[in-house]
Amino acid sequence: MTDEIGAPRQATPGDVEGMVDVVAIVAPEGSLGAQHPVDREMLRERYGAGVAAEHPTGVWVVDVGGRVGGFALVFPPGPTGVLDLAMALLPEARGRGAGRALLDTALAHARANDVHKVELEAWVDNARAIALYTAAGFVVEGVRRDHYRRRDGSLRSTLLMAVHLAD
Ligand SMILES: CC(C)(COP(=O)(O)OP(=O)(O)OC[C@H]1O[C@@H](n2cnc3c(N)ncnc32)[C@H](O)[C@@H]1OP(=O)(O)O)[C@@H](O)C(=O)NCCC(=O)NCCS
């Protein structure tokens, strides 16, 4: 039987370890910026800080079978007024509307905080993520060609995508 997926809920400090687990499980796919084996301590600090931060930072999780099945995080990368978005779902949580629900929750939060734009970076070959973001209104603003040197020595390219929420 397939475990039910909960609706996105605001993350608490007790969810941080589950978020780190999600990244540790997903990272070997190569779909994330984080590389296998992930630096759990660094991620714990990053997500812990995100959960503790005030608006406009926001963190949400979905539960699957009693564990964190995925999350979305938005945070201000600098004093631009823009929010950066990161998200990941366990394989068993994909294709079931949870990605869109997390994304819609993050965008609603951004709008409620008068954020004019949300941006993200995705590997150029991450078709599934790009399709999700495009369906939610994100457009490609640029390409970072062969920008990232990975641990295996390869160079990878990303799309810079963003959605304008207000003028
Ligand atoms: C990216 C992610 C959050 C998307 O969530 P999801 O629940 O899997 O999304 P969906 O299954 O609804 O797919 C989104 C869209 O892509 C389409 N899609 C699914 N698999 C696809 C594939 N292999 N290639 C192209 N499009 C695909 C779906 O049909 C859907 O479009 P639709 O709504 O028009 O039908 C999730 O797959 C994930 O966590 N992936 C691993 C980590 C990751 O890539 N994070 C994002 C980093 S930028």
Side-chain angles (χ1 to χ4, degrees):
M1 200 186 89
T2 310
D3 286 316
E4 269 189 37
I5 300 189
R9 61 174 178 79
Q10 203 168 330
T12 69
D15 295 315
V16 169
E17 205 60 29
M19 293 172 64
V20 175
D21 287 342
V22 169
V23 174
I25 291 166
V26 173
E29 295 175 355
S31 52
L32 298 175
Q35 298 183 75
H36 174 75
V38 299
D39 180 344
R40 293 189 66 101
E41 191 48 42
M42 184 273 289
L43 292 172
R44 214 172 270 135
E45 266 178 40
R46 179 185 298 175
Y47 300 146
V51 167
E54 303 196 336
H55 290 185
T57 294
V59 190
W60 303 268
V61 294
V62 291
D63 300 301
V64 177
R67 70 190 289 194
V68 172
F71 67 88
L73 161 68
V74 287
F75 59 97
T80 56
V82 171
L83 290 183
D84 276 15
L85 170 77
M87 58 188 292
L89 291 173
L90 292 175
E92 60 265 36
R94 297 177 195 164
R96 301 167 64 190
R100 185 61 195 253
L102 281 166
L103 185 54
D104 286 348
T105 300
L107 294 180
H109 166 89
R111 281 193 189 87
N113 283 275
D114 294 325
V115 170
H116 69 285
K117 185 175 180 181
V118 175
E119 63 173 2
L120 59 86
E121 210 167 342
W123 301 118
V124 291
D125 58 2
N126 194 347
R128 188 169 194 157
I130 292 165
L132 174 70
Y133 301 137
T134 301
F138 283 76
V139 296
V140 175
E141 292 199 332
V143 183
R144 282 185 148 162
R145 200 168 299 284
D146 289 344
H147 191 74
Y148 292 95
R149 175 79 71 189
R150 305 296 277 174
R151 284 187 191 142
D152 65 2
S154 63
L155 290 173
R156 294 195 70 191
S157 306
T158 57
L159 295 183
L160 301 172
M161 300 186 75
V163 61
H164 274 267
L165 302 175
D167 291 330

